Amino acid sequence: MGDLRLGRQDGVLTITLSRPERLNAVTASVTEEMLDVLNELMRDPDTRVVILTGEGRGFCSGMDLQGGDPGGGDEGRIQRIYRGIARGGEVTARLREIPQPVIAALHGPVAGMGVSWALACDLRVADPTTRFVVPFVDLGLSAGDCGLSWLLPRLVGPAKAAEIFYRAQRLDVAKAAELGLITELTAEGADLEGALALAGELLTKSPYGLNRTKELLNMSLDAPGLRRQLAVETGIQTMAFFTEDLVEGMTATIEKRPPAFKNR
C-alpha cells in the first residue's frame, strides 16, 4: 500500500503510517487506506491484536494541511475539507469498532488528528520522545477533531480535558503517563518492541473474552444506565459459559498451567 506498511506475524497485524518525510501527516489517501484495512479487520478472525505506529521520527503530525486538499473534481473547498475531517473521524470510529484490541506504539510528535487516532486505540506504549500536541484553539480551530472532544474527557475527565483544550497544551510523556494516557513506557526507540511484547501477552488471553470485553467497554461509554449495561453484560457472560475458551481457561486454572487458547 502506498502510504501504509502492513506486517503480519502470529496473529498480530502492525499498521505503520509511512510518510516519514511529513512526520506521517494524514492525507486523503492515508485515510482511505486506513479505512480499507480496518474494514477488512471487521471480518478477519485470524488477526487477534492490532498495532498502530508511525515510521521515522514521529507517530503522526495530524492532517496534512499542505497535501490534504488536492482540489479538482466537482466539490468545492469547504466540501473537500468537510469530507477529509469526516473520513478521518471514520478511522477513529473504526479503531473502536473492530473487535481486536489495538495498541498504539508512540514516539515523537502525536499531533492533531494523530492524537485522536492514538486515543482511539485501546492501549498506548510510548518512548521518552513522545509528546501530545493539541494546538487547535491556537490555530483558530475547535478541539472537536475526529472524535477528540469525545475521547479525551472519557480518558482524563472533563475538567482536565478542558484545560488541555483551552490552553492548547503540549503533554510530554511524563505528563501523559501521569494523566493515565500511557499504558507502558519504554526506552527510546523501543515503543514498537514494547507494543509487540504487549501484543504477545494479549495473545495468551481468551479470544472471546478480549473481543467481548472491548465490545462492553465501548458500550459502557455510551450506555444510558447501569441496568441496561448489566443486561448486556449478563447475555455476553452467559454465552461465555458455552465457549471452548472457558473450558480451556478453567482446565488450565485447575491444572495450574498457562491457558492455551485456540486462535479462531
Side-chain angles (χ1 to χ4, degrees), residues 10 39 74 79 94 110 120 159 166 169 177 234 255 263:
D10 300 329
N39 287 334
D74 296 328
Q79 290 91 334
R94 272 290 187 254
V110 183
Y166 296 162
Q169 288 186 333
T234 300
E255 296 176 354
N263 182 17

Side-chain angles (χ1 to χ4, degrees), residues 12-16 49-53 101-105 121 191-192 194-197 199:
V12 179
L13 172 66
T14 300
I15 305 171
T16 303
V49 182
V50 176
I51 295 172
L52 177 62
T53 191
V102 185
I103 304 168
C121 297
D191 53 296
L192 181 55
L196 287 167

Side-chain angles (χ1 to χ4, degrees), residues 169-233:
Q169 288 186 333
R170 294 171 177 256
L171 307 177
D172 63 19
V173 75
K175 184 63 176 178
E178 178 187 329
L179 291 171
L181 296 177
I182 305 300
T183 307
E184 290 186 3
L185 294 171
T186 71
E188 185 169 341
D191 53 296
L192 181 55
E193 180 183 348
L196 287 167
L198 181 54
E201 178 185 336
L202 297 186
L203 288 176
T204 69
K205 310 302 182 185
S206 156
Y208 178 91
L210 282 178
N211 294 349
R212 298 291 75 76
T213 298
K214 178 168 182 177
E215 181 181 354
L216 287 167
L217 285 171
N218 283 337
M219 292 185 68
S220 74
L221 296 172
D222 286 327
L226 173 61
R227 291 200 172 275
R228 179 175 175 181
Q229 190 72 5
L230 285 170
V232 176
E233 284 185 352

Side-chain angles (χ1 to χ4, degrees), residues 1 3 26 41 55 62 80 86 88 100 115 122 135 146 149 155 157 177 189 207 210 218 234-235 241 257:
M1 305 185 79
D3 294 321
V26 178
L41 285 167
E55 183 179 348
R80 290 196 301 273
Q100 301 89 348
V115 179
D122 298 275
C146 298
S149 65
L155 289 168
L210 282 178
N218 283 337
T234 300
F241 279 83
R257 61 172 175 80

Side-chain angles (χ1 to χ4, degrees), residues 105-180:
L106 305 176
H107 56 279
V110 183
M113 187 184 292
V115 179
S116 302
W117 288 5
L119 297 190
C121 297
D122 298 275
L123 303 168
R124 283 160 291 280
V125 176
D127 86 352
T129 68
T130 302
R131 60 188 185 279
F132 290 85
V133 183
V134 187
F136 300 101
V137 297
D138 278 348
L139 300 175
L141 298 167
S142 85
D145 188 70
C146 298
L148 188 57
S149 65
W150 187 91
L151 290 162
L152 190 63
R154 284 162 172 79
L155 289 168
V156 304
K160 183 55 66 175
E163 179 186 357
I164 294 169
F165 288 151
Y166 296 162
R167 302 176 73 179
Q169 288 186 333
R170 294 171 177 256
L171 307 177
D172 63 19
V173 75
K175 184 63 176 178
E178 178 187 329
L179 291 171

